[in-house]
Amino acid sequence: FVRGFDGSFKRINPAVTKQLGYCLADLTAPEIIGKIHPQDIAGVLAAWNRVLAGEPCLQYENRCQAKDGEYRWLAWSAMSSKEHGLIYLVARDITEQKAINQQLLTMASIVEYFCDGIVGLAPDGTIQSWNREAENLLGYSTVEVLGERLSMFCAAGFEQKTEATVEAVKSEEKVKNYQCVLQRKNGLAVDVAVSVSPIWDDSGNLAGLSATIRDITQQKKMERDIVRMDRLQTIGQMAAGISHEVRNPMTTVRGFLQMIGRKPQYAKDKE
């Protein structure tokens, strides 16, 4: 774009027509402000005033309405020439980049506030990211765990198996619900189920690993309670059987005694 200090556009190149659909006649000074997204107008006016004041190579972004009615994100570089009374502007369409960035921010937010701990591992198995739930679960901040290995947080007896699980993922599809015990920063143990997936780049090379850590403490407690209840039920059944066996002989003895007691010769013994 080439724009005069009076706000009118003097010249545009074919890329403008291709990106936005406008020809030079469409970009008159009174109407151009109406093509800027309402939320961006104040910022654009402030940028234009800075350009008119002679600020060199100003850069800013805003949404501009194309001729088809859709808004496109444009990244601008502007430089003024007071000698010629002109402003030279270069606009780059960054609509797709903005959409991708928004998707990444959305995904990052989902990961950050996911109900399970999510850990990003480098190809060598060292920790590179650690979401909020992982912090809540184990008590370590992201700064404290960066560069460490997941096995660092394992309770005694689970370190080697955890390392082997992470290594196995590098050549296999996924390890799902590997159960182990991790140790919190405060020293308390927590039962967890760990799922580890590989992350491949466009060339098919291992770019990293993603580990999901789920707290299964309540599940394990329920399993232990069920086992204990089964044991108690078994003990109860055994006790009932023993009691039944003890009562049956006594019933027989009582019957014989009653029969004997009805015979005359044993009457005095009965008394």
Side-chain angles (χ1 to χ4, degrees):
F1 296 83
V2 179
R3 181 178 172 223
F5 276 31
D6 60 359
S8 62
F9 283 91
K10 309 299 184 182
R11 191 163 62 250
I12 62 173
N13 70 353
V16 176
T17 304
K18 183 178 179 181
Q19 288 181 357
L20 301 176
Y22 297 121
C23 62
L24 184 60
D26 297 320
L27 303 177
T28 57
E31 295 180 1
I32 189 63
I33 198 70
K35 303 184 191 305
I36 298 169
H37 193 284
Q39 294 179 358
D40 299 336
I41 290 174
V44 169
L45 291 176
W48 285 355
N49 288 333
R50 288 160 61 192
V51 172
L52 291 172
E55 186 169 328
C57 200
L58 180 70
Q59 296 184 341
Y60 61 97
E61 298 175 358
N62 72 275
R63 286 160 288 184
C64 184
Q65 190 175 37
K67 200 165 187 176
D68 61 7
E70 296 291 328
Y71 280 98
R72 310 290 297 177
W73 273 101
L74 301 177
W76 297 87
S77 297
M79 185 169 57
S80 64
S81 172
K82 288 188 176 181
E83 181 183 351
H84 299 95
L86 297 173
I87 300 171
Y88 300 93
L89 304 107
V90 177
R92 182 166 54 90
D93 189 340
I94 58 170
T95 306
E96 291 185 8
Q97 179 184 328
K98 283 284 188 180
I100 292 171
N101 289 345
Q102 184 57 52
Q103 290 176 357
L104 292 174
L105 287 173
T106 301
M107 289 300 297
S109 179
I110 291 172
V111 168
E112 183 65 14
Y113 293 97
F114 197 61
C115 58
D116 293 335
I118 298 180
V119 183
L121 304 174
D124 64 358
T126 55
I127 296 172
Q128 293 198 318
S129 64
W130 183 266
N131 77 340
R132 189 177 300 245
E133 186 55 31
E135 289 187 10
N136 294 337
L137 182 62
L138 296 176
Y140 293 93
S141 68
T142 303
V143 174
E144 290 176 293
V145 302
L146 291 181
E148 301 291 348
R149 305 188 72 81
L150 195 57
S151 57
M152 166 190 171
F153 309 100
C154 290
F158 289 95
E159 302 95 329
Q160 291 185 356
K161 190 172 181 181
T162 299
E163 283 289 342
T165 298
V166 172
E167 287 298 317
V169 175
K170 297 179 182 180
S171 57
E172 298 176 5
E173 280 288 317
K174 183 178 182 180
V175 172
K176 189 175 182 181
N177 290 331
Y178 155 60
Q179 295 188 7
C180 67
V181 178
L182 300 183
Q183 195 164 13
R184 293 188 171 107
K185 190 175 181 179
N186 61 11
L188 296 177
V190 54
D191 290 297
V192 298
V194 181
S195 297
V196 188
S197 303
I199 301 171
W200 308 101
D201 63 19
D202 294 338
S203 302
N205 299 315
L206 185 68
L209 304 166
S210 173
T212 302
I213 305 174
R214 175 166 295 177
D215 185 348
I216 58 170
T217 303
Q218 290 302 316
Q219 175 186 326
K220 285 292 185 181
K221 182 179 180 299
M222 289 176 63
E223 290 175 359
R224 288 192 289 268
D225 288 345
I226 290 171
V227 170
R228 190 177 74 252
M229 290 173 65
D230 285 344
R231 285 185 188 147
L232 291 174
Q233 185 177 6
T234 301
I235 292 170
Q237 290 172 348
M238 290 174 62
I242 293 170
S243 175
H244 176 72
E245 293 299 326
V246 169
R247 284 198 305 269
N248 278 349
M250 295 304 296
T251 301
T252 304
V253 170
R254 190 181 301 113
F256 279 118
L257 289 173
Q258 288 173 351
M259 289 175 60
I260 293 170
R262 286 196 289 267
K263 293 184 178 184
Q265 63 267 37
Y266 296 113
K268 67 176 182 178
D269 294 328
K270 183 178 178 182
E271 294 174 358

